[in-house]
């Protein structure tokens, strides 16, 4: 796979991951597993919503980062971010709905695919 094609595959993988997270959030609302202003059973302070927004921006930022960052630092950044997101998602399991757990397992598979793609990336840029 060429370096540019690998970047496209990685960017597409980050888009997929972002959409899985979004789908889970939307389904949680429609399933009634979400109460406005709360995280779980507790009221959430304002700073918590900012933190959640920052976490959700990570895969979005990685789309552009994948396309613009030179290969050597991109490899380690991608692996680090994928592992961090996987740990973050595992820490929240199990979720209330089966659909949510299914989406998280699928997102972990996407994280593994991203790591594998970067780890096996053989074409150096010139």
């Amino acid at each position: 796979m060429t370096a540019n094609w690998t970047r496209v595959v990685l960017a597409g993988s980050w888009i997929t991951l972002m959409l899985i997270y979004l789908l889970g959030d939307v389904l949680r609302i429609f399933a009634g597993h979400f109460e406005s202003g709360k995280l779980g059973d507790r009221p959430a302070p304002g700073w918590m919503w900012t933190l959640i927004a920052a976490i959700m921006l990570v895969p979005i930022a990685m789309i552009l980062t994948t396309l613009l960052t030179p290969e050597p630092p991109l490899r380690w950044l991608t692996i680090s971010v994928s592992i961090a997101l996987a740990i973050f998602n595992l820490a929240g399991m199990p979720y209330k709905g089966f659909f949510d757990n299914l989406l998280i397992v699928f997102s972990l598979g996407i994280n593994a695919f991203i790591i594998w793609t970067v780890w096996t990336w053989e074409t150096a840029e010139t």
Side-chain angles (χ1 to χ4, degrees):
M1 191 172 347
T2 67
N4 287 337
W5 181 247
T6 300
R7 288 178 183 276
V8 169
V9 168
L10 288 170
S13 298
W14 287 114
I15 292 168
T16 302
L17 194 61
M18 176 193 60
L19 290 173
I20 291 169
Y21 294 160
L22 181 60
L23 176 61
D25 292 342
V26 169
L27 289 176
R28 220 172 289 120
I29 291 168
F30 282 112
H33 300 173
F34 171 81
E35 189 175 336
S36 183
K38 290 187 173 184
L39 284 177
D41 296 331
R42 298 186 208 160
W47 63 266
M48 185 66 77
W49 299 113
T50 304
L51 178 62
I52 292 168
I55 292 168
M56 292 300 290
L57 280 171
V58 170
I60 297 169
M62 286 304 294
I63 298 164
L64 194 56
T65 301
T66 295
L67 298 172
L68 298 177
T69 304
E71 183 185 335
L74 178 62
R75 286 178 184 258
W76 295 110
L77 178 64
T78 300
I79 290 169
S80 300
V81 169
S82 288
I83 289 171
L85 287 174
I87 291 169
F88 178 77
N89 285 314
L90 284 170
M93 288 188 80
Y95 289 95
K96 190 173 185 177
F98 176 78
F99 67 89
D100 231 343
N101 293 300
L102 177 67
L103 290 172
I104 291 299
V105 168
F106 194 80
S107 74
L108 293 172
I110 298 297
N111 276 304
F113 175 75
I114 289 170
I115 293 167
W116 175 82
T117 300
V118 170
W119 192 263
T120 61
W121 190 355
E122 294 180 13
T123 306
E125 296 174 342
T126 54

